[in-house]
Amino acid sequence: TSRGRAYRVVVPKPCSNFYVEDKGPTDEPQPVAAKRPVISLHFEVVDIEDPVQVGENVIYDLKILNQSPAPITNLKMTCSIPESESYVSGSGVTPIAQNGQFLKMGTLPVIEGNGTVTWRVIVKAVAVGDTRFRADLMCDQLERPITRFEATQLIP
């Protein structure tokens, strides 16, 4: 049976080829697709100061607020640092690993209902420009990531 229909598989001995014969609908109850719990979260990325002079540090605060009573599980976050900035340090609820211009926050197993978590990323402004710091958030309850950008003006 599959998806509410019964089938018969026939394999003749002389050739070992097989065919499937549809026997029609079954009376078996169909499995209900698992639904993701409904969650509500607030995700923001802000720079503490803007504009910032080249040679100075830019501080980005990343905050996630679980606005629902249900827990959010297996939270994963990655960030992309613009070419005009270089990574200095980071801290938060999980460790931060750097790979070139990319950051990966450690997986957070759970944010309880109405809970808040934060990270802080410090980068150095190395070139003049209109930059975009990018953060992508994913968890078990989402089908695709949430992306946030924070614009920062780097001035001479």
Side-chain angles (χ1 to χ4, degrees):
T1 62
S2 176
R3 297 183 184 195
R5 298 195 65 80
Y7 299 92
R8 183 174 83 144
V9 178
V10 180
V11 182
K13 284 187 179 182
C15 65
S16 296
N17 292 334
F18 72 92
Y19 67 93
V20 178
E21 183 179 280
D22 187 349
K23 302 301 273 181
T26 66
D27 294 333
E28 296 176 16
Q30 294 305 301
V32 176
K35 291 187 177 182
R36 296 178 186 268
V38 175
I39 61 165
S40 176
L41 60 86
H42 175 76
F43 173 35
E44 67 181 19
V45 179
V46 296
D47 52 7
I48 301 303
E49 195 174 314
D50 193 356
V52 175
Q53 287 188 318
V54 170
E56 299 294 321
N57 285 343
V58 182
I59 300 172
Y60 294 104
D61 281 343
L62 297 87
K63 178 181 174 183
I64 301 165
L65 167 61
N66 180 358
Q67 297 175 312
S68 63
I72 296 173
T73 55
N74 292 318
L75 184 117
K76 297 172 179 62
M77 177 138 29
T78 58
C79 299
S80 299
I81 301 169
E83 291 295 324
S84 56
E85 298 175 343
S86 66
Y87 181 69
V88 173
S89 66
S91 61
V93 67
T94 62
I96 300 173
Q98 177 196 10
N99 184 4
Q101 294 299 106
F102 298 95
L103 303 177
K104 182 177 181 180
M105 283 58 171
T107 300
L108 183 63
V110 66
I111 300 176
E112 294 298 337
N114 302 310
T116 302
V117 295
T118 60
W119 287 268
R120 175 167 276 188
V121 174
I122 301 172
V123 298
K124 182 177 285 289
V126 295
V128 173
D130 177 15
T131 66
R132 299 292 182 274
F133 180 90
R134 176 182 173 151
D136 295 291
L137 171 69
M138 190 62 191
C139 66
D140 289 342
Q141 292 74 26
L142 297 174
E143 292 181 16
R144 60 185 186 272
I146 298 172
T147 301
R148 295 287 182 262
F149 292 92
E150 179 60 13
T152 306
Q153 294 291 324
L154 307 181
I155 58 175

